[in-house]
């Protein structure tokens, strides 16, 4: 997952750069679809980042591996 962050981030950055062009097209269906994909991709990246932070890694002790057990 960590190796693919640059690819996902790059896609979102490209979409952000192209957003003013899409908005200037003044085609409602294009603009709504574009913004929905952009917001959805940012939300998916945020959820994946949260899931990565919350999952235990091999080098970190879990509650079972603590000094009390």
């Amino acid at each position: 997952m960590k190796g693919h962050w640059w690819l996902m981030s790059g896609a979102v950055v490209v979409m952000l750069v192209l957003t003013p062009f899409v908005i200037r097209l003044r085609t409602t269906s294009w603009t709504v679809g574009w913004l929905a994909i952009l917001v959805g991709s940012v939300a998916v990246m945020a959820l994946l980042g949260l899931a990565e932070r919350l999952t235990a890694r091999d080098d970190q002790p879990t509650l079972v591996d603590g000094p009390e057990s």
Side-chain angles (χ1 to χ4, degrees):
M1 178 65 198
K2 287 185 179 184
H4 299 290
W5 275 106
W6 64 270
L7 183 62
M8 290 188 295
S9 300
V12 170
V13 167
V14 167
M15 285 188 75
L16 284 172
V17 168
L18 293 176
T19 297
F21 174 72
V22 172
I23 291 173
R24 268 190 249 126
L25 287 175
R26 298 183 191 269
T27 307
T28 305
S29 60
W30 260 90
T31 305
V32 170
W34 184 271
L35 293 176
I37 292 170
L38 179 62
V39 169
S41 62
V42 170
V44 166
M45 284 182 58
L47 288 174
L48 288 173
L50 180 64
E52 187 175 336
R53 281 187 164 272
L54 294 177
T55 55
R57 292 184 285 252
D58 292 335
D59 58 344
Q60 291 181 340
T62 59
L63 292 176
V64 177
D65 294 336
E68 294 86 21
S69 60

